[in-house]
Amino acid sequence: SLLCVPIVDNDDAVVGCIQVLNATRGKDKVFHSHDAELLQQLAKHLYHAISNTTMLTKLYDSSARLAGSEPAEAEGARESVALMAKYLERTCSAERVHIFVR
């Protein structure tokens, strides 16, 4: 089974998607409408989390350059996405979750 929802920005432009694969609960092992509704709501929050993390990373990089030091490795956005994927696997009882962002 497969469930996919778009990740949209504030202008309703698609900037990515959440793909949930292989439901693991119940006899029929399918996703239900409440799974789609949950993913749609979380996609909105995920966009804002990624956007905020990206802006903070740019701010820290600019501060480091102004201070004359090297910017730190930017892992925040990737870590946020990975944590959300793990959360969605448990919440939607899915075998695998992929999050694609442009």
Side-chain angles (χ1 to χ4, degrees), residues 4-54:
C4 191
V5 298
I7 299 171
V8 296
D9 65 11
N10 292 331
D11 298 322
D12 288 331
V14 176
V15 296
C17 71
I18 302 172
Q19 180 185 66
V20 184
L21 304 171
N22 303 332
T24 59
R25 82 171 157 249
K27 287 185 208 175
D28 52 1
K29 298 201 184 314
V30 297
F31 296 109
H32 300 282
S33 61
H34 64 273
D35 294 315
E37 292 168 12
L38 174 68
L39 283 179
Q40 288 169 343
Q41 292 300 315
L42 289 174
K44 294 175 188 176
H45 295 288
L46 183 61
Y47 167 74
H48 291 291
I50 292 169
S51 179
N52 289 341
T53 302
T54 302

Side-chain angles (χ1 to χ4, degrees), residues 78-99:
R78 278 178 273 199
E79 289 174 6
S80 297
V81 170
L83 287 172
M84 181 63 78
K86 288 293 179 193
Y87 171 77
L88 290 172
E89 283 177 5
R90 289 189 308 273
T91 305
C92 294
S93 298
E95 189 175 293
R96 175 80 74 179
V97 173
H98 298 283
I99 299 173

Side-chain angles (χ1 to χ4, degrees), residues 63-85:
S63 293
R65 278 195 292 283
L66 287 172
S69 61
E70 288 293 317
E73 287 291 316
E75 292 293 321
R78 278 178 273 199
E79 289 174 6
S80 297
V81 170
L83 287 172
M84 181 63 78

